[in-house]
Amino acid sequence: MSEPDLILDAETRQSYRAALGGFATGVAIITVLDGDHAVGLTVNSFTSVSLEPPLVLWCLGEQSDRGVYFRPAPNFVVNILSAEQQALADRCAKRGQYRFERDELDHVRAGRPALPGCLARLWCDTYDQVILGDHVAIIGRVRAFDSRPGDGLTYFQGRYGAAPRPAV
Ligand SMILES: Cc1cc2nc3c(=O)[nH]c(=O)nc-3n(C[C@H](O)[C@H](O)[C@H](O)COP(=O)(O)O)c2cc1C
C-alpha cells in the first residue's frame, strides 16, 4: 500500500521548511539584462547538473514578481557570492532593490550581465525550463566562466554564514 500524500498545512509547512533548512548551501545571485539595467535574484536552489554538456539549474518561485524578467530571458549569469557579499544577497532578496545600474556591473558578455567581487560567475544561455509544482526549474548551458579563491557565503537553517577557504 502506498503512503498517503503529504499535505502541508501552516504548521507542518514550517517544520518541513525547517527540515529542508538543514541542507547547507551556497548563495548565488542570478542576473539578467533588462534594457540599460540588470535585474538580480538571490537564490540557494542553484546546482550543477551535467559536465558534458555543462548544464546548471536553479529554481524560480512562481509567485516571484521577477518572473517577468527571468522567464523570457534567453540567457543569464549565475554569480556565486563570497562571504563579503551578504549585503548584496539581502538586497536581491528584497522587493524594489534588485535593479543594477550599468556602472555596478562587471562584464556584460553577449547580453549577460555579471556582478563584480564574486567567487565565480557562469555566463549561461537558457537551455530549458520545466514547471515543477510551484517552481520553474531554469536550466542553463554554461558558455563561459571565471572564478577566484576566497571564503564562500552559505545559507543554513535560515541564516547566512561563511565557509572558510580550505587551507592548502
Ligand atoms: C538565501 C535565500 C535563498 C533564496 N532562494 C531562492 C530560490 O532558489 N528561488 C527563488 O525563486 N527565490 C529564492 N529566494 C527568494 C528571493 O530572493 C526573493 O526574496 C523572492 O523572490 C521575493 O521577491 P519577488 O517577488 O520580488 O521576486 C531566496 C531568498 C534567500 C534570502
Side-chain angles (χ1 to χ4, degrees), residues 69-80:
Y69 305 110
F70 292 99
R71 289 300 302 277
N75 50 45
F76 59 87
V77 178
V78 180
N79 303 269
I80 297 176

Side-chain angles (χ1 to χ4, degrees), residues 109 112 121-124 141-146:
R109 263 184 222 243
R112 310 179 201 100
R121 284 92 57 91
L122 310 172
W123 282 266
C124 302
R141 182 172 185 147
V142 181
R143 296 297 183 187
F145 68 95
D146 66 9

Side-chain angles (χ1 to χ4, degrees), residues 38-101:
V39 170
L41 183 76
T42 299
V43 304
N44 68 341
S45 55
F46 167 75
T47 193
S48 166
V49 175
S50 160
L51 288 180
E52 291 282 346
L55 300 176
V56 296
L57 170 153
W58 64 282
C59 295
L60 172 71
E62 67 164 6
Q63 305 278 18
S64 171
D65 288 349
R66 277 167 264 180
V68 291
Y69 305 110
F70 292 99
R71 289 300 302 277
N75 50 45
F76 59 87
V77 178
V78 180
N79 303 269
I80 297 176
L81 300 188
S82 74
E84 299 82 45
Q85 292 178 303
Q86 188 183 320
L88 209 54
D90 277 337
R91 173 175 164 188
C92 287
K94 285 195 190 120
R95 299 194 167 170
Q97 292 180 33
Y98 51 74
R99 210 161 256 285
F100 292 94
E101 302 290 336

